[in-house]
Amino acid sequence: MKMGSISVLVIAVLVIGFGGHAYKKHQEKQKNIEEAEQVLAELKSLEQPYKDFIEQSRLASATPRVQLSPVVARMQDTLKVVAEMHSSGCAMGVQVTLRQSIENMKDGFLSFMAHDDIKSDAQTSVATSQISEYQTSAEACAIVMKKRLEDLQK
C-alpha cells in the first residue's frame, strides 16, 4: 500500500512537471510570435514617413533654391516623426537608416540653400545610398520576420 502511494505521488509530480514545461514552452512561443508581429507592425509604421520623405525629396529637387524653406521644414517634420518612433529587432536598424537618410537629405538641401554646392552634393549622395539601404534592409527584415512567424505558427 505504501509503495502504491509513492507511485501515485511520483506520477503526479511527473505529470505536473511535464505540464509546467509544456506551458512554459507555449508561453515562450507566444512571446516570440508577439515580438515578430510587433517588428512587422513597426516596419509598416515606417512606410508612410518613407513615402512622405520620397515625395518631399522629389519636390525639393524641383524647387528653386530661394523657395526651398517650406519643403525642408516638412522634411524636418518627417524626420521628427521617424526619430520619435520606437522600434525593436531588425526594425530598429531600418528606422535608423531612414532617419539618417532624411537627415542627410535635409542637410544637403540646407547646404544647397546656403550656396555650398559641394557639401550639398556629398550629403544628398550619401542620403541617396541610404535610401537604397533602407529599402533593402526593410525588405530583408520583413522576409525574416514573416518566415519566423510562419515557423512559429506551425
Side-chain angles (χ1 to χ4, degrees):
M1 191 82 170
K2 195 173 194 181
M3 194 60 136
S5 298
I6 292 174
S7 296
V8 169
L9 184 60
V10 168
I11 291 172
V13 168
L14 288 173
V15 167
I16 291 171
F18 178 73
H21 178 71
Y23 180 71
K24 187 175 180 178
K25 285 195 73 75
H26 173 74
Q27 281 183 316
E28 185 178 312
K29 183 178 178 180
Q30 279 303 117
K31 181 181 175 214
N32 289 336
I33 288 172
E34 289 170 10
E35 287 173 357
E37 288 173 338
Q38 179 66 32
V39 169
L40 286 170
E42 291 164 357
L43 287 173
K44 184 93 172 135
S45 71
L46 289 170
E47 288 177 6
Q48 190 58 50
Y50 168 72
K51 290 176 184 175
D52 292 345
F53 165 57
I54 294 301
E55 182 59 33
Q56 292 157 359
S57 296
R58 287 185 183 135
L59 181 59
S61 294
T63 302
R65 193 183 307 243
V66 295
Q67 297 173 337
L68 271 173
S69 291
V71 180
V72 173
R74 285 196 302 270
M75 204 175 285
Q76 178 66 36
D77 293 340
T78 302
L79 175 61
K80 185 177 179 184
V81 167
V82 172
E84 291 175 351
M85 291 178 158
H86 173 74
S87 297
S88 56
C90 58
M92 188 181 301
V94 173
Q95 177 190 2
V96 168
T97 302
L98 180 58
R99 183 186 53 76
Q100 290 172 337
S101 179
I102 296 169
E103 194 166 330
N104 281 317
M105 189 67 76
K106 173 193 65 81
D107 289 347
F109 282 111
L110 288 173
S111 295
F112 178 72
M113 290 167 60
H115 300 279
D116 189 347
D117 293 344
I118 294 172
K119 187 174 180 182
S120 173
D121 289 345
Q123 289 168 316
T124 55
S125 177
V126 168
T128 301
S129 68
Q130 287 170 326
I131 291 169
S132 295
E133 184 181 335
Y134 164 80
Q135 292 167 331
T136 302
S137 60
E139 280 182 35
C141 182
I143 289 168
V144 168
M145 289 298 108
K146 287 176 184 176
K147 176 67 174 147
R148 184 174 184 199
L149 264 178
E150 183 182 301
D151 291 346
L152 287 168
Q153 292 174 337
K154 287 183 181 176

